[in-house]
Amino acid sequence: MRRRIALLLLPVLFAVGGVAACADATPTGRVTVIASWSEAPADDGGTPPDTEAAAFVAVLDEFERRTGITVDYRGTRDVSQVLRSGVDRGSPPDVAVLPRLNDLQTYVPSRKLHPLDDVLGGERRTDLEPQLVTLGGRVYGLSVNVIPKSLVWYAPDRHPTLARRPPATWEELVAFSAGRRTPWCLGMGAPPLSGWPGTDWIEDLFLHRWGAATYQAWTAGDLPWDSPQMREVWQAWGEVTRAGRSTPNALLTGFNVAGLGMFAERPECHLDHQGSYIVRDYRRQAPDRFDFFPFPPFAARGGTATTTEIAEDVVGMFQDTPEARELIRFLAGERARQVWREASGGLSFTLNRGTDPASYPDAVSRRIAGTLARGTLCRDASDLMPAAMTAAFHRAVLHHLDDPRDLATLLRELDTVRDRIPDEEWLDLPCLSR
């Protein structure tokens, strides 16, 4: 079992980890890792918690068991700032798992991030290719965990018609929700990054209204916020969520709490737009009472395209040590994926082409995995954007949900932020075809 490290000691450990940095050095037997999953203590009976952190720790434990290398792991919700602080001090972790792809490319020009081409040389199989993040012609990241986000959740026992025939278009979904007092479960709270559940809404609406090519132009900074396409999407979101009329609680409610209202004796809401991570909360509150259907396309696009928005957790190497290389190679392998899948209760998904959806333990997780095996996958827009743009985007969705009358001003302000960001800070990554 891995020895736990007091947080105050981590900067020292990171500094030690950077001493022997050449690839062919004698292994020190230790690797430092940071990620966005914070560990929680076991319950009174010694049972590990069912969290994303616990699943990742299980993977690291298996790595330690197989290699004898000790992993010093730190989980923090503000992984971007912790990494930046370590890099600025000259003592970064050996390996970082980042939820924002733009954070990864930030360190390429300064050579603070090491390429992985030769690290994964023996693993460059066809099935692994979708997991590799290539920047400037070189591989700098390995996608190890994927979250499908274009999912709409509901309670089948309350809405059996949705189970028989889910909405095929956005217009059908709007018609279903129109006659209900509070159709959508809304929770924008997610400290320290409140607002991102709203950006997921805007991203999904934009992707399913205008398609992958226009979506990519927007995420790369080439499409103005104050454009007809963008205005239509924000207005559609404001109308369906009844922005400005019943949203004060939404601004304060946690994203992982709002959807539980579907299972109340008298339902407080009926539909929840959330990624695959929300299943953990549903399982605790209402086992076997939830299901989903894919976010539908707009009728104007023909109503048939299969397009899914995804978020990714991507591994980068910030100290080139034998131990860091060994860990990244392990994370690229099938054994790591298997342990992660089992420890997460079937809620760890991957872009690896060799992963069989049938390997997941229940019908819901198998169907979620199936969404990654077909159609077009486009990365979360706010994860691709520079940090300043993402922060402004978070604030804007909260403002719009509270008062939609300021939309024109809001979009112009977002364009002001966009125009001030240097071109080289934008990340232009294509959507993936499956």
Side-chain angles (χ1 to χ4, degrees), residues 33-37 50-63 73 95-98 131 142-147 280 283 312-315 327-328 330-351 355 359-361:
V33 180
I34 64 170
S36 60
W37 305 298
D50 177 20
T51 64
E52 292 172 293
F56 183 55
V57 166
V59 175
L60 298 181
D61 285 343
E62 176 69 4
F63 171 75
Y73 172 66
V95 172
V97 186
L98 300 172
Q131 293 181 251
L142 172 72
S143 174
V144 292
N145 187 54
V146 178
I147 300 166
R280 285 187 177 85
R283 282 176 176 169
E312 293 175 272
D313 294 297
V314 179
V315 170
L327 176 58
I328 290 172
F330 176 75
L331 293 174
E334 173 55 31
R335 179 55 182 160
R337 289 191 292 272
Q338 180 186 5
V339 172
W340 208 331
R341 185 166 58 247
E342 293 172 355
S344 67
L347 293 179
S348 173
F349 303 97
T350 178
L351 295 176
T355 301
S359 64
Y360 285 84

Side-chain angles (χ1 to χ4, degrees), residues 64-128:
E64 285 189 335
R65 188 186 70 78
R66 285 178 167 246
T67 65
I69 296 172
T70 298
V71 180
D72 296 324
Y73 172 66
R74 177 181 181 182
T76 170
R77 297 298 297 174
D78 204 0
V79 65
S80 297
Q81 290 301 318
V82 171
L83 176 61
R84 169 55 66 188
S85 177
V87 170
D88 289 346
R89 290 195 311 270
S91 57
D94 299 322
V95 172
V97 186
L98 300 172
R100 276 181 38 83
L101 280 163
N102 195 280
D103 288 345
L104 195 72
Q105 68 94 31
T106 298
Y107 299 100
V108 173
S110 62
R111 298 185 179 180
K112 302 296 185 183
L113 178 67
H114 297 276
L116 303 179
D117 302 82
D118 61 327
V119 177
L120 297 173
E123 297 285 346
R124 293 296 292 272
R125 307 179 307 270
T126 302
D127 64 329
L128 189 67

Side-chain angles (χ1 to χ4, degrees), residues 2 12 16 31 38 53 62 121 142 146 162 164 166 208 244 278 293 322 324 352 356 359 374 379:
R2 190 168 51 266
V12 177
V16 172
V31 60
S38 298
E62 176 69 4
L142 172 72
V146 178
L162 291 180
R164 291 193 298 269
H208 288 85
I278 203 65
F293 54 85
N352 190 281
D356 183 359
S359 64
R374 60 181 181 271
R379 297 173 170 100

